Amino acid sequence: KQWYQRRVRGRKRIIDRQNEYQQRFRNMLISPARADVFADGGKTPDPNMRTYSDVMKESRMAKDQHEIRSQISEKRKEGTLSVVPEQPKKKRRWDVGNA
């Protein structure tokens, strides 16, 4: 019990004892604002409204972007990140058709 009291001394709240990984859930967007489908009394909803599938796609895309950015930063730290130059397109000959 003494080792725990020494470790926790000065940090009485749970949030103070959590590391960065454990605190990520506080910044997570649980359910973004969506329009109520039944608010118009059964009328067909506007097709431009965000649906559950749209929200899930946006969430997955944000997660993928975060993963890609972290991979790029890891490669940059390791020094293995290299830029691939864009190769110019070959000029087409005037006498060759669209084959």
Side-chain angles (χ1 to χ4, degrees), residues 54-68:
D54 295 336
V55 172
M56 296 308 291
K57 288 176 187 176
E58 290 171 6
S59 173
R60 180 65 186 162
M61 187 175 292
K63 184 178 178 183
D64 290 344
Q65 285 178 346
H66 178 71
E67 289 176 7
I68 290 170

Side-chain angles (χ1 to χ4, degrees), residues 14-28 63 66:
I14 292 175
I15 194 169
D16 295 334
R17 295 190 302 254
Q18 290 180 336
N19 61 20
E20 183 180 334
Y21 177 77
Q22 292 169 331
Q23 291 178 356
R24 279 192 331 182
F25 81 95
R26 296 186 191 285
N27 298 330
M28 187 172 66
K63 184 178 178 183
H66 178 71

Side-chain angles (χ1 to χ4, degrees), residues 1-9 11 17:
K1 188 173 184 177
Q2 291 176 351
W3 65 269
Y4 181 74
Q5 289 175 345
R6 278 186 269 132
R7 185 172 157 246
V8 178
R9 185 181 323 152
R11 299 186 294 171
R17 295 190 302 254

